[in-house]
Amino acid sequence: MKLLRFGDVGNEKPGMLDADGKLRDLSGVVGDIDGSTITPEGLASLAKVDPASLPVVDGSPRLGPCVGRIGKFICIGLNYSDHAAESGMDVPPEPVVFLKATSAICGPNDDVRIPRGSEKTDWEVELGVVIGKTAKYVDDKDALDHVAGYCVINDVSEREYQLQRSGTWTKGKSCDTFGPVGPWLVTKDEVADPQDLHMWLEVDGKRYQDGTTKTMVYNVPFLVSYLSQFFTLHPGDVISTGTPPGVGSGIKPNPVFLKAGQTVRLGIAGLGEQTQKMVQD
């Protein structure tokens, strides 16, 4: 299934994409696409719904984040060896873990607001893993049992705030609109192998990132298991699993950063695409 949320900010309705690519309204079936409805039981119930029985949504409504009320927005840094190399950093002996503020979350095609004074706003296409079943002290072999599905994430980053202004990475990752999520949550039964997905990103039509989840250092089952050793993962939590090479800060000898008026497009095979216009805050 491809599950999504549509409508104005803060008033999104649940939806489903049918086999013909038509948007169907799920609001008569569930209240939202969130931690309460993406459990194994909830997804099993939704799988029994005939999309043809649902109202078609006319036009092209705004798409919201594909998961509502995200509890934790957990990010993994330097999880692609070639990206670590372009950043001038070593592959970490254990995953680099940081949290992105949930106030950064926005829809997949919403404007991204460049913070006041920012000169180093950057892009990162990433595979998002959505938790559907509570996970605590989970083994690798059982980890995918706790995953509801996958989505596209742009881990927008302000590199000066992240790396040059002391402290943790959080403040360079958490500016408003720095977390576009969606367009839809693709349930795991439709993703044969999360470690074999092509991913890409373009700025004004120029392709900068063109990679694959094959080159992840720490794969999805390992990450779910690893994180569950430190804190409980709950349905509706999202893990952003790192980015392949091609970020603006890694371009040599002259890094490239985002400016107001530019358009970013990104996508992952089978998981959809995002498009964001950069605007000045």
Side-chain angles (χ1 to χ4, degrees), residues 253-276:
N254 299 309
V256 176
F257 296 108
L258 293 166
K259 305 296 182 185
Q262 292 186 305
T263 299
V264 174
R265 290 183 61 242
L266 60 148
I268 300 178
L271 303 185
E273 299 182 8
Q274 302 182 351
T275 301
Q276 296 117 25

Side-chain angles (χ1 to χ4, degrees), residues 13-15 25-34 36-37 42 45-46 49:
K13 295 181 178 180
D25 189 346
L26 267 174
S27 58
V29 180
V30 294
D32 202 353
I33 304 299
D34 60 15
S36 67
T37 55
S45 179
L46 285 175
V49 176

Side-chain angles (χ1 to χ4, degrees), residues 120-162:
K120 295 184 178 181
T121 296
D122 204 347
W123 58 81
E124 293 189 7
V125 59
E126 305 202 1
L127 172 67
V129 177
V130 183
I131 299 299
K133 178 181 177 182
T134 300
K136 185 176 178 64
Y137 301 130
V138 171
D139 291 332
D140 285 26
K141 63 182 177 61
D142 301 319
L144 292 185
D145 294 342
H146 298 263
V147 172
Y150 305 94
C151 63
V152 181
I153 292 174
N154 187 358
D155 178 20
V156 186
S157 309
E158 213 299 342
R159 302 302 187 190
E160 181 185 359
Y161 300 175
Q162 176 190 356

Side-chain angles (χ1 to χ4, degrees), residues 92-252:
E94 293 190 36
V96 172
V97 179
F98 61 94
L99 298 177
K100 201 175 181 87
T102 54
S103 55
I105 296 168
C106 64
N109 304 317
D110 290 349
D111 291 346
V112 167
R113 307 196 68 84
I114 296 175
R116 294 178 185 179
S118 167
E119 296 183 355
K120 295 184 178 181
T121 296
D122 204 347
W123 58 81
E124 293 189 7
V125 59
E126 305 202 1
L127 172 67
V129 177
V130 183
I131 299 299
K133 178 181 177 182
T134 300
K136 185 176 178 64
Y137 301 130
V138 171
D139 291 332
D140 285 26
K141 63 182 177 61
D142 301 319
L144 292 185
D145 294 342
H146 298 263
V147 172
Y150 305 94
C151 63
V152 181
I153 292 174
N154 187 358
D155 178 20
V156 186
S157 309
E158 213 299 342
R159 302 302 187 190
E160 181 185 359
Y161 300 175
Q162 176 190 356
L163 300 171
Q164 297 171 249
R165 293 186 59 176
S166 187
T168 69
W169 289 6
T170 301
K171 60 179 175 283
K173 298 283 190 171
S174 295
C175 302
D176 294 350
T177 73
F178 271 25
V181 178
W184 36 74
L185 163 62
V186 181
T187 52
K188 65 181 177 184
D189 59 294
E190 294 195 8
V191 180
D193 183 358
Q195 305 308 147
D196 189 17
L197 300 174
H198 177 237
M199 54 205 308
W200 56 272
L201 182 145
E202 299 174 349
V203 180
D204 289 344
K206 180 176 179 178
R207 185 156 295 197
Y208 285 95
Q209 291 189 278
D210 200 350
T212 170
T213 57
K214 287 181 180 179
T215 64
M216 276 188 191
V217 178
Y218 301 107
N219 65 21
V220 171
F222 179 88
L223 290 173
V224 172
S225 172
Y226 180 84
L227 293 171
S228 77
Q229 309 306 310
F230 300 101
F231 44 77
T232 302
L233 298 170
H234 296 283
D237 288 349
V238 174
I239 306 167
S240 198
T241 57
T243 197
V247 299
S249 57
I251 297 172
K252 304 293 189 295

